[in-house]
Amino acid sequence: MQAKPPPATALFSRERLIRFSDCDPAGIVFYPQYFIMFNGLVEDWFNEGLGISYQELVIGRRIGLPTVHLEADFRAVSAMGDQVVLSLDVKRVGGRSLTVQVRCTGRDDGVLRMHAQIVLVTTSLREHHAIDIPPDVRAAITAASGNNRPQTPR
Amino acid sequence: MQAKPPPATALFSRERLIRFSDCDPAGIVFYPQYFIMFNGLVEDWFNEGLGISYQELVIGRRIGLPTVHLEADFRAVSAMGDQVVLSLDVKRVGGRSLTVQVRCTGRDDGVLRMHAQIVLVTTSLREHHAIDIPPDVRAAITAASGNNRPQTPR
Amino acid sequence: MQAKPPPATALFSRERLIRFSDCDPAGIVFYPQYFIMFNGLVEDWFNEGLGISYQELVIGRRIGLPTVHLEADFRAVSAMGDQVVLSLDVKRVGGRSLTVQVRCTGRDDGVLRMHAQIVLVTTSLREHHAIDIPPDVRAAITAASGNNRPQTPR
Amino acid sequence: MQAKPPPATALFSRERLIRFSDCDPAGIVFYPQYFIMFNGLVEDWFNEGLGISYQELVIGRRIGLPTVHLEADFRAVSAMGDQVVLSLDVKRVGGRSLTVQVRCTGRDDGVLRMHAQIVLVTTSLREHHAIDIPPDVRAAITAASGNNRPQTPR
């Protein structure tokens, strides 16, 4: 895939500076850091995109969003000082899971650095088992998705 | 997949304690930490399994091993204090890439916590482009693999 | 020390959300994360406060800013979801070192969470030894400090 | 302080490899990583030196060991591939706090890389306030300290 800005349909995106602390002795992002960045993007998406407090969800309601599956491709390196755009699209809303496509793209060069498909499951943090996506979360995702509506369970 | 010890054919494995610093507010491993653990396992595999100094490879010879693709499944949680076994099998040795299967399994319960398939590429850290797997690395992998010989390029 | 907003004289400050990934199994910031946050604050201070590209400094000019001494007090916990203010004051500009006071304060409650005094040294990343603070960096710090002028070397 | 092995009186020590993931774009340990390493050393000290399960302490008994004060000096860099010795000495056992001296020293060159004095407080993780050091912890520390007995509260 060549230089390409994040799709206009991206549900949610945030800019971020690639920091010294994100990088390894090769001077580029150490790849697990991407997943930490995307965890933060999901937090921001809940707080700012869906209007559902992530803190209240995890601490107050004791509902977690662990990742159960992911597939990632790393296409180009991100170096210290790069400004990147992290974007998130909802691909599927299941009964107890949520599939999101995330991308990291250079803000200035439009080059896709990496992208991943991540399956998150709503779980009870009391018993660490999957629970139904709470109705308010489901409603907020559906409302936010609008025209780029994710596939919903039958 | 049910409780099952790491396969007897595992090429390389190491025990590791799940530490406080690996865990998140839910008290379980924050998933990007698994990839940091496996990065360490690859280091140990080079140093101890293949007899090739990872430090010399990266710093001396300026050869990197970035991940270009990964697929991971998270099956069961790992909690602080768990003893786990991290194991690595070589699945394929390409011209410039290496596919490894990694697993994290409970040492005491034999439960598979997560597993991933990771494609690593040998790159020049000077120019950040792929280079052929160095002959000594290829030879060491072939020798180490022995009977559980990975698929080699045609 | 009781609830108190960051001093009006703070040279540089930034707001930051305490994230899931900053927190430990006790649900509060794992203290090494504060130092990662402050490393980021120093980056932002250079880029935005001093007008000197941190990336250009480290990668282009091969000048590092390692910490050689620090003293830190942790007064109150920061929990996931807290909005905090990270602030930085220059206390002393030496020939080859820079002493900064950094603070993390709750944005909404004004409670000082932790503060630290950090001594940074300008070093050559080629030879890992101390070098004089570059003239442009010294000039920018002096200009930025203005009335809350740090102590300078005699 | 010049090259000097960890003192023979060190209460507890462990060897550790400096890994790729510990290092920054300068190729040396990113200093917050030292505090993550020492957090692990305290875990090992409890589990193996004191015979008190750190997991049981934190998860079962809901007792935390947050750092409330630290002072650190960084003397020499640690690079990827270095084997270091992390050591811990108890300096003082208070009513609710514990002061430890920690050191990172090159295993092969005996060079002190950094050392820190860290004050830990025993806290209730339910209410995040200080509690008395539990009697079994106090007894184990006293027994382990033996001749290099830390200063105890009057």
Side-chain angles (χ1 to χ4, degrees):
Chain A
M1 199 176 296
Q2 291 318 109
K4 210 170 75 172
T9 56
L11 194 52
F12 188 79
S13 67
R14 283 292 175 270
E15 263 191 51
R16 189 183 186 289
L17 176 67
I18 298 300
R19 295 186 174 282
F20 187 81
S21 62
D22 297 321
C23 295
D24 64 22
I28 57 176
V29 171
F30 182 50
Y31 85 86
Q33 293 289 346
Y34 280 118
F35 300 117
I36 298 177
M37 293 183 208
F38 287 124
N39 206 74
L41 186 71
V42 168
E43 269 178 85
D44 291 344
W45 175 49
F46 267 73
N47 288 328
E48 303 166 22
L50 299 182
I52 292 177
S53 164
Y54 191 81
Q55 170 192 24
E56 173 59 20
L57 189 77
V58 173
I59 303 296
R61 300 162 67 179
R62 305 292 296 147
I63 296 172
L65 276 176
T67 293
V68 294
H69 181 73
L70 73 81
E71 293 185 37
D73 275 297
F74 303 86
R75 304 289 182 114
V77 299
S78 296
M80 191 180 82
D82 287 2
Q83 284 284 357
V84 296
V85 176
L86 305 176
S87 67
L88 177 153
D89 282 284
V90 179
K91 304 310 281 184
R92 185 174 181 280
V93 182
R96 302 176 159 197
S97 74
L98 194 59
T99 304
V100 296
Q101 175 78 21
V102 293
R103 286 182 191 82
C104 175
T105 309
R107 184 196 62 184
D108 298 327
D109 61 14
V111 173
L112 180 68
R113 309 304 174 80
M114 64 82 71
H115 64 125
Q117 190 145 309
I118 299 179
V119 183
L120 305 164
V121 170
T122 41
T123 60
S124 159
L125 290 178
R126 289 194 186 80
E127 296 121 31
H128 291 298
H129 63 62
I131 58 170
D132 285 349
I133 295 178
D136 61 324
V137 173
R138 179 180 300 279
I141 293 171
T142 304
S145 302
N147 286 334
N148 47 334
R149 185 181 305 280
Q151 176 187 350
T152 50
R154 283 124 304 219
Chain B
M1 199 178 294
Q2 291 319 110
K4 210 169 75 172
T9 57
L11 193 54
F12 189 79
S13 67
R14 283 291 175 269
E15 263 191 51
R16 188 184 185 289
L17 176 68
I18 299 299
R19 296 186 173 283
F20 188 80
S21 62
D22 298 320
C23 295
D24 64 22
I28 58 176
V29 171
F30 181 51
Y31 85 85
Q33 294 288 346
Y34 280 117
F35 299 117
I36 298 177
M37 293 182 208
F38 286 124
N39 206 75
L41 186 71
V42 168
E43 269 177 86
D44 291 344
W45 175 49
F46 267 72
N47 288 329
E48 302 166 23
L50 299 182
I52 292 178
S53 164
Y54 191 81
Q55 170 193 22
E56 173 59 20
L57 188 77
V58 173
I59 303 297
R61 301 162 67 179
R62 306 292 295 147
I63 296 173
L65 275 177
T67 293
V68 294
H69 181 73
L70 74 81
E71 293 186 36
D73 275 297
F74 303 86
R75 304 289 182 113
V77 299
S78 296
M80 191 179 83
D82 287 3
Q83 284 283 359
V84 295
V85 176
L86 304 177
S87 67
L88 176 153
D89 282 284
V90 179
K91 304 310 281 185
R92 185 175 182 280
V93 181
R96 303 177 159 196
S97 74
L98 194 59
T99 303
V100 296
Q101 176 78 20
V102 293
R103 286 182 191 83
C104 175
T105 309
R107 183 195 62 183
D108 298 327
D109 61 14
V111 172
L112 180 68
R113 309 303 173 80
M114 63 84 70
H115 63 125
Q117 189 145 309
I118 300 179
V119 183
L120 305 164
V121 170
T122 40
T123 60
S124 159
L125 290 178
R126 289 193 186 80
E127 295 121 29
H128 290 299
H129 63 62
I131 58 169
D132 285 349
I133 295 178
D136 62 324
V137 174
R138 179 181 300 278
I141 294 172
T142 304
S145 302
N147 287 334
N148 47 333
R149 186 180 304 279
Q151 176 186 351
T152 50
R154 282 125 305 218
Chain C
M1 197 176 297
Q2 291 318 108
K4 210 170 74 172
T9 58
L11 194 53
F12 189 79
S13 67
R14 283 291 175 271
E15 264 190 50
R16 189 183 185 289
L17 175 68
I18 299 299
R19 295 187 174 282
F20 187 81
S21 61
D22 298 319
C23 295
D24 64 21
I28 59 177
V29 170
F30 181 50
Y31 85 86
Q33 294 288 345
Y34 280 117
F35 301 117
I36 298 177
M37 292 182 207
F38 287 124
N39 205 76
L41 187 71
V42 168
E43 270 178 84
D44 291 344
W45 175 49
F46 267 73
N47 287 329
E48 302 166 24
L50 299 181
I52 291 178
S53 163
Y54 191 81
Q55 171 192 25
E56 173 58 20
L57 189 77
V58 173
I59 302 296
R61 300 163 66 179
R62 305 293 295 146
I63 296 172
L65 276 176
T67 293
V68 294
H69 181 72
L70 72 82
E71 293 185 36
D73 275 297
F74 303 86
R75 305 287 183 115
V77 300
S78 296
M80 191 180 85
D82 286 3
Q83 283 284 356
V84 296
V85 176
L86 305 176
S87 67
L88 177 153
D89 282 286
V90 179
K91 304 309 281 185
R92 184 174 182 281
V93 181
R96 301 176 161 197
S97 74
L98 193 61
T99 303
V100 296
Q101 176 78 22
V102 293
R103 286 181 192 82
C104 175
T105 309
R107 184 195 61 184
D108 299 327
D109 61 14
V111 173
L112 180 68
R113 309 302 174 81
M114 64 83 71
H115 64 125
Q117 191 146 306
I118 300 179
V119 184
L120 305 164
V121 169
T122 40
T123 60
S124 159
L125 289 178
R126 289 194 187 79
E127 296 120 30
H128 290 298
H129 62 64
I131 58 169
D132 286 349
I133 296 179
D136 61 324
V137 173
R138 179 180 299 278
I141 293 172
T142 304
S145 301
N147 287 334
N148 48 333
R149 185 180 305 278
Q151 178 188 349
T152 50
R154 282 125 305 216
Chain D
M1 198 176 298
Q2 292 317 108
K4 211 171 75 173
T9 57
L11 194 53
F12 188 79
S13 67
R14 283 290 175 270
E15 264 190 49
R16 188 183 185 290
L17 175 68
I18 300 299
R19 295 186 174 282
F20 187 82
S21 62
D22 298 319
C23 295
D24 64 20
I28 58 176
V29 170
F30 181 50
Y31 86 85
Q33 293 289 345
Y34 280 116
F35 300 117
I36 298 177
M37 292 181 208
F38 287 124
N39 205 76
L41 187 71
V42 168
E43 270 178 84
D44 291 344
W45 175 48
F46 267 73
N47 288 329
E48 302 166 24
L50 300 182
I52 292 178
S53 163
Y54 190 82
Q55 170 192 25
E56 173 58 20
L57 190 77
V58 173
I59 303 296
R61 301 162 66 179
R62 306 292 296 146
I63 296 173
L65 276 177
T67 293
V68 293
H69 181 72
L70 73 82
E71 293 184 36
D73 275 297
F74 303 85
R75 305 288 183 112
V77 300
S78 296
M80 191 180 85
D82 287 2
Q83 283 283 357
V84 296
V85 176
L86 305 176
S87 67
L88 177 154
D89 282 285
V90 179
K91 305 308 281 184
R92 184 176 183 280
V93 182
R96 302 177 161 196
S97 73
L98 194 60
T99 304
V100 296
Q101 176 77 22
V102 293
R103 287 181 190 81
C104 175
T105 309
R107 183 196 61 183
D108 299 326
D109 60 14
V111 173
L112 181 68
R113 310 303 174 82
M114 64 83 70
H115 63 126
Q117 191 146 307
I118 299 180
V119 183
L120 305 164
V121 170
T122 40
T123 61
S124 158
L125 290 178
R126 289 194 185 79
E127 295 121 29
H128 290 299
H129 62 63
I131 58 170
D132 286 348
I133 296 179
D136 61 325
V137 173
R138 179 180 300 279
I141 293 172
T142 304
S145 301
N147 287 334
N148 48 334
R149 184 181 306 279
Q151 178 188 350
T152 50
R154 282 126 303 219

